[in-house]
Amino acid sequence: MNNLARPRLLSQLMIQLADEYFMREALKEAKKAYEAKEVPVGAVIVSGRHIIARAHNQVERLQDTTAHAEMLALTAACNHIGGKYLSACTLYVTLEPCCMCGGATYWAQLGRLVFGAYDPRRGYSTVATQLLHPRTEVTTAVLCEEATQQLTRFFQCLRS
């Protein structure tokens, strides 16, 4: 490996480690949803390596179909920074956002989206990847197995 490739590889490794760390924080939020008998989806929003918002699904608790983890986290992050644009922020969410949440990230001009499990039935990518802002960078399948297991366990318990 030449000396020019080493810093790039180190930078990629640091990004991967940070992504896993923040996704574990989102998984903690998803666990809160699971314990409250909500679909276990959790989200955190990060700015400058600091978590500025945390949320989990609260659709049942609030009797609000829009109370998805991503929507609640986006609102909290905008309140935290005092503005509506999150171009310098990363949203970590345990499940691929639905069209509603993907659209909300568009309007917030989210800088980066990182998700764990794919949602082959209702994820934004089943409709169009253009749902996100054109400058939003996307990283997929971070801790996918853990996120998928949490969702699978929830739905198995629901059916039994």
Side-chain angles (χ1 to χ4, degrees):
M1 178 183 303
N2 65 35
N3 287 338
L4 295 176
R6 222 175 257 140
R8 193 174 334 120
L9 185 62
L10 185 59
S11 176
Q12 290 171 341
L13 178 61
M14 290 180 70
I15 290 168
Q16 181 182 350
L17 290 173
D19 284 351
E20 289 178 5
Y21 172 80
F22 290 119
M23 187 59 72
R24 287 191 197 292
E25 293 299 308
L27 285 164
K28 289 177 187 176
E29 288 297 313
K31 185 176 184 214
K32 291 177 187 177
Y34 180 92
E35 291 168 351
K37 296 183 176 34
E38 298 271 1
V39 176
V41 177
V44 297
I45 296 184
V46 175
S47 177
R49 297 186 314 242
H50 299 285
I51 295 173
I52 62 169
R54 296 174 174 272
H56 56 275
N57 272 2
Q58 295 186 44
V59 171
E60 300 302 326
R61 178 175 175 247
L62 299 176
Q63 290 296 293
D64 178 356
T65 58
T66 68
H68 291 195
E70 302 95 310
M71 300 295 281
L72 298 172
L74 288 168
T75 299
C78 289
N79 288 336
H80 178 84
I81 65 169
K84 61 183 178 179
Y85 298 122
L86 301 174
S87 56
C89 297
T90 300
L91 167 63
Y92 292 87
V93 61
T94 58
L95 180 65
E96 177 184 3
C98 68
C99 291
M100 174 184 68
C101 296
T105 68
Y106 177 93
W107 294 112
Q109 298 181 13
L110 184 70
R112 185 163 177 250
L113 168 65
V114 179
F115 67 83
Y118 285 93
D119 187 348
R121 297 176 80 197
R122 292 187 176 81
Y124 77 89
S125 67
T126 62
V127 177
T129 54
Q130 296 171 338
L131 209 55
L132 305 180
H133 195 276
R135 283 183 242 144
T136 300
E137 296 176 27
V138 180
T139 302
T140 64
V142 174
L143 301 181
C144 180
E145 190 172 317
E146 290 93 328
T148 301
Q149 285 174 354
Q150 210 171 36
L151 288 157
T152 301
R153 190 170 48 249
F154 174 79
F155 287 110
Q156 284 174 342
C157 289
L158 198 64
R159 291 182 192 112
S160 60

